[in-house]
Amino acid sequence: MALPQIKQDATDARLAALTLPDGGWSDTARQEAVARVRNMGLPGARDEYWKYTRPDTLVQPDAPKAALFEAEETPVFGEVDRLKIVFVDGVFDAEASDDLAMEHVTIDRLADAADIHWAKDLYGVLETRGQTPVHRPLAALNTAFATDGVLIHVTGKAPKPVSLIYRHESETSDAILHHVVKVESGAELTILENGPAAARFNKCMEIDIADGGVLHHVRAQGRDPERRAATAMFVRLGSESVFKSFTLTANGVLTRNEMVVELTGDDAIAHVAGACVGDGDFHHDDTVFITHDALNCESRQVFKKVLRNGATGVFQGKILVKEGAQKTDGYQISQSLLLDEDSQFLAKPELEIYADDVACSHGSTSGAIDEEGLFYLRSRGIEEGPATDLLTLAFLAEAVMEIEDESLQDEINGRVEAWLTRRRG
Amino acid sequence: MLEIKNLHVKLEEEDKQILKGVDLSVEAGKVHAIMGPNGSGKSTLSYVLSGRDGYEVTEGEATLEGEDILDMEPEERAAAGLFLAFQYPVEIPGVGNMTFLRTAVNSQRKARGEEEMSAADFLKMIRAKAKELKIDADMLKRPVNVGFSGGEKKRNEILQMAMLEPKMCILDETDSGLDVDAMKLVADGVNALRDAGRGFLVITHYQRLLDHIKPDVVHIMADGRIIKTGGPELALEVENNGYADLLAEVA
């Protein structure tokens, strides 16, 4: 079917501005991805899943300029013993990174990987699976044109987290990164991600977790107020495997985080959580799609957004329970704390269930700060500003607590506290 | 300590006068009790003094050690030494009791230009105070008042009072929802804080609490005014005869 002209033009313009990298073993996958992009067209304002978020600046050929953040601050996860992999404006920086070697984990740079590589079976494969029933053209664009990224193979319990650090140094950088992670049966890894990355960042991560594998993912996205990001994670879980992901987003004029999870083996567990704090020119969109396609699996979506001065939060979360996926336990909550009347939260929870013995619940709320609680805190001598901050942290706590590791919880809470204090001036 | 003169208060949202000229003076080292039927304005008085929104002072004044408190923010009143033990303590999910108390103690110290209490000193102090009130470590860790029983909530109020060491304590129906043992525990906590430099205003419906916290002065409040003031015997009179006689007396 032909694309609408406006979408055709936008897609052509974007593709014309990009050059297909020499991908070696990934060449076929990249060419197929180009075909997918041509076929779907890049997102347009009329697309069902782009109703609440304007895709134009993510699609246009050049990245809109984004100023660098000036304030001094200690980067997040600074206290965590981790293997650091640094990208500057989307380019791997060997100098700043640790040796890409750790017990039970092999890491290759996408650009360097040898011709026959395990990632060949996954690169673009999980992304392709995630294109049905909802199109995610920016992820296909990523598969085709990614210039860098890492391929992480986990064969046992990793001794420390792999930390992906995205630095932003150029005001006009347009970065496309693609990572592939394969967690073997019984293996376990924690992946950390942080940093503003680029003026415009398109990041895709494909994750395959074999039976009994465990992957924890904690991300702190933020800083530069003018940066833009479209990220997508495609996760496939085998039986009795576990995937737990948490994202904190602070600042950024536009962020779209897509999370596509497929529970394909029995007794698997997938938890995805997010907290965002937005002030002013801030648009944050969480789009989540969880498919239950096996018995007795559990999924949780916990998303909390604090919005003020006209900030916008979007949540589109879906649980699809396929035929035969009995004993599914699905839970979804999305809540916003609106600190003034100019901010808005747009939520679209969706459940689609084709099995009869399942428990799925969902809820969505918007509210202001609890006046009773605020008065109680103030009556004990806590000033209005700090009291509001305390209640804000409390509001986000349910999402932050989804992080299993308490020291990582502390890192995230510390980050939110710093943000709140800074905003208070 | 606390001086209230001719205090008139109406609800902000509707044209309803609640307090119609309250005069009250609580001296340092004394315990005053206010009794009165439902709707007499007792709780309103406590809320107005602590700075809750929704009330408008139309006349009169209230001072704490000579300082006008009605123009202060709630946190400034707290730092000045005023404490209200709530009738219905508020649950605050997500905020740990200990974090809350430490923030409160140090906020007040900061406001008064004092040095903040160290984590170690704070821990030592809160452990000792909590023990006296039979508050276990788990209750200190849990979110403020969340999942606490009625008795636990009231004990938690007294713990806050003990930690903040206010000059003027207002207890708003602290006995409501308490069984006899819990009331004894709370009263012991309050009595432990009685000293020459501190004033108390105990608002209650029942004489029972006053068996445990012996008042120096008892006031009867009705229809937004103090209608009678006397010694502890006045509370017994109410207990035996109800308010009807007193109301008839002044009518």
Side-chain angles (χ1 to χ4, degrees):
Chain A
M1 199 175 69
L3 297 172
Q5 197 56 47
I6 188 165
K7 183 176 276 222
Q8 184 71 57
D9 292 346
T11 304
D12 288 346
R14 179 65 174 133
L15 288 174
L18 288 162
T19 321
L20 212 52
D22 176 10
W25 57 270
S26 65
D27 274 344
T28 314
R30 288 172 184 273
Q31 278 149 18
E32 285 169 5
V34 173
R36 278 198 294 285
V37 174
R38 289 202 184 282
N39 186 36
M40 295 184 275
L42 289 172
R46 289 168 177 271
D47 296 1
E48 172 76 17
Y49 280 85
W50 289 91
K51 219 165 151 178
Y52 306 122
T53 298
R54 288 185 53 160
D56 50 351
T57 55
L58 297 171
V59 169
Q60 71 185 52
D62 294 317
K65 206 168 153 184
L68 304 176
F69 189 65
E70 299 292 342
E72 280 289 317
E73 64 173 1
T74 333
V76 69
F77 307 134
E79 302 294 310
V80 182
D81 182 25
R82 60 206 163 126
L83 187 145
K84 294 199 279 283
I85 303 177
V86 178
F87 297 88
V88 179
D89 291 306
V91 181
F92 175 69
D93 183 339
E95 286 279 293
S97 302
D98 293 329
D99 281 344
L100 303 187
M102 181 162 57
E103 200 186 351
H104 305 308
V105 181
T106 61
I107 304 169
D108 292 307
R109 196 179 160 194
L110 174 62
D112 293 344
D115 237 16
I116 303 289
H117 198 276
W118 59 263
K120 197 174 178 179
D121 295 336
L122 293 172
Y123 190 88
V125 173
L126 298 185
E127 174 257 298
T128 305
R129 289 176 69 97
Q131 298 291 355
T132 326
V134 179
H135 287 167
R136 306 173 197 283
L138 291 172
L141 186 82
N142 182 303
T143 298
F145 296 100
T147 46
D148 222 325
V150 281
L151 312 169
I152 303 173
H153 189 204
V154 195
T155 53
K157 194 169 162 32
K160 58 186 176 185
V162 166
S163 177
L164 303 169
I165 299 162
Y166 307 119
R167 291 191 187 140
H168 173 202
E169 290 179 2
S170 151
E171 289 192 346
T172 54
S173 54
D174 192 19
I176 306 180
L177 289 185
H178 195 114
H179 309 302
V180 181
V181 182
K182 186 175 187 183
V183 181
E184 294 291 354
S185 185
E188 185 173 342
L189 177 70
T190 296
I191 293 180
L192 308 175
E193 290 186 282
N194 72 284
R200 182 170 68 181
F201 190 34
N202 180 333
K203 194 209 67 186
C204 183
M205 192 184 276
E206 294 176 289
I207 299 170
D208 190 36
I209 310 175
D211 298 353
V214 176
L215 185 75
H216 292 278
H217 170 245
V218 180
R219 168 167 61 169
Q221 263 177 332
R223 268 196 23 173
D224 303 13
E226 293 172 358
R227 61 144 189 88
R228 288 176 161 77
T231 78
M233 297 180 75
F234 297 91
V235 189
R236 180 169 64 186
L237 287 101
S239 60
E240 294 178 29
S241 66
V242 175
F243 172 67
K244 291 189 178 177
S245 169
F246 171 87
T247 299
L248 170 72
T249 310
N251 302 348
V253 67
L254 176 60
T255 306
R256 162 90 159 203
N257 290 331
E258 297 201 20
M259 177 67 80
V260 184
V261 178
E262 229 187 324
L263 296 140
T264 62
D266 297 348
D267 306 299
I269 294 173
H271 292 184
V272 292
C276 83
V277 285
D279 189 341
D281 202 0
F282 173 91
H283 184 106
H284 181 85
D285 175 333
D286 282 302
T287 294
V288 182
F289 199 113
I290 295 186
T291 304
H292 282 261
D293 196 12
L295 293 174
N296 204 33
C297 290
E298 176 191 310
S299 72
R300 266 173 83 79
Q301 302 173 40
V302 180
F303 287 86
K304 301 261 187 169
K305 299 181 198 293
V306 176
L307 304 165
R308 68 184 195 197
N309 290 328
T312 299
V314 176
F315 174 76
Q316 308 185 97
K318 177 153 181 168
I319 306 173
L320 168 64
V321 181
K322 287 200 170 173
E323 208 178 315
Q326 303 295 8
K327 305 286 180 195
T328 284
D329 181 0
Y331 173 76
Q332 178 195 95
I333 183 87
S334 65
Q335 295 181 305
S336 73
L337 176 61
L338 302 174
L339 294 177
D340 53 50
E341 288 180 359
D342 300 328
S343 304
Q344 60 170 343
F345 176 53
L346 303 156
K348 188 171 79 171
E350 290 179 281
L351 299 182
E352 195 176 332
I353 302 172
Y354 297 101
D356 54 10
D357 186 13
V358 303
C360 279
S361 61
H362 68 94
S364 183
T365 65
S366 285
I369 208 95
D370 173 24
E371 291 295 332
E372 288 281 314
L374 188 62
F375 174 64
Y376 192 66
L377 295 176
R378 293 179 70 190
S379 78
R380 297 306 180 242
I382 305 173
E383 285 175 68
E384 188 171 5
T388 305
D389 290 356
L390 210 51
L391 293 174
T392 304
L393 280 169
F395 168 78
L396 295 175
E398 189 189 355
V400 178
M401 303 250 282
E402 290 289 319
I403 304 172
E404 252 182 42
D405 183 315
E406 281 187 22
S407 66
L408 293 177
Q409 279 184 19
D410 291 345
E411 288 271 347
I412 294 297
N413 278 327
R415 193 66 7 174
V416 179
E417 273 172 53
W419 186 90
L420 290 168
T421 309
R422 209 163 47 232
R423 292 284 143 169
R424 213 156 11 89
Chain B
M1 173 69 62
L2 178 68
E3 294 280 345
I4 303 168
K5 281 181 195 152
N6 194 31
L7 190 64
H8 286 69
V9 172
K10 73 184 241 324
L11 290 181
E12 233 165 40
E13 304 235 318
E14 43 188 307
D15 201 23
K16 191 178 173 194
Q17 202 72 29
I18 308 285
L19 299 183
K20 302 171 181 173
V22 174
D23 287 291
L24 187 68
S25 171
V26 180
E27 311 83 5
K30 300 289 185 198
V31 174
H32 285 229
I34 296 187
M35 301 181 76
N38 289 327
S40 56
K42 304 187 301 291
S43 286
T44 296
L45 178 63
S46 71
Y47 286 141
V48 169
L49 292 174
S50 56
R52 193 193 185 101
D53 278 345
Y55 302 97
E56 190 187 329
V57 175
T58 52
E59 217 186 317
E61 60 170 50
T63 57
L64 182 67
E65 290 191 308
E67 264 193 280
D68 178 10
I69 55 168
L70 295 178
D71 274 343
M72 294 182 189
E73 296 294 338
E75 56 268 29
E76 293 170 335
R77 300 178 197 208
L82 188 77
F83 181 91
L84 169 67
F86 281 54
Q87 182 179 1
Y88 303 108
V90 182
E91 295 186 5
I92 308 187
V95 178
N97 215 5
M98 197 91 107
T99 310
F100 159 59
L101 260 171
R102 208 173 143 216
T103 311
V105 167
N106 283 331
S107 299
Q108 291 201 12
R109 286 181 168 231
K110 212 173 121 196
R112 290 193 293 259
E114 300 164 10
E115 228 176 277
E116 293 195 2
M117 197 188 268
S118 74
D121 287 349
F122 175 82
L123 260 180
K124 210 169 130 191
M125 182 170 174
I126 197 167
R127 281 197 185 126
K129 304 277 186 195
K131 200 174 161 196
E132 286 168 21
L133 288 158
K134 297 205 167 81
I135 289 174
D136 59 26
D138 183 51
M139 250 176 86
L140 291 177
K141 273 191 222 142
R142 269 150 59 188
V144 181
N145 293 324
V146 176
F148 287 24
S149 70
E152 286 174 334
K153 283 182 182 168
K154 295 301 171 78
R155 263 147 58 201
N156 202 29
E157 293 292 289
I158 304 305
L159 174 67
Q160 293 168 34
M161 193 161 92
M163 291 300 294
L164 294 167
E165 301 178 314
K167 291 176 190 156
M168 179 68 219
C169 309
I170 304 172
L171 282 73
D172 187 9
E173 299 199 21
T174 294
D175 50 339
S176 69
L178 293 187
D179 59 32
V180 180
D181 293 337
M183 192 182 314
K184 177 88 174 45
L185 209 55
V186 164
D188 288 348
V190 172
N191 289 328
L193 287 168
R194 288 179 76 158
D195 74 32
R198 188 170 284 139
F200 285 88
L201 187 60
V202 180
I203 295 171
T204 181
H205 266 295
Y206 304 105
Q207 139 74 18
R208 212 170 43 164
L209 179 67
L210 304 180
D211 284 342
H212 299 290
I213 305 173
K214 300 247 185 294
D216 299 296
V217 181
V218 175
H219 307 273
I220 306 298
M221 192 165 182
D223 193 27
R225 282 187 199 91
I226 305 284
I227 56 162
K228 189 164 185 179
T229 295
E233 71 287 347
L234 190 55
L236 284 168
E237 199 185 319
V238 167
E239 183 75 1
N240 294 331
N241 307 329
Y243 293 110
D245 290 358
L246 287 168
L247 294 176
E249 232 174 80
V250 295

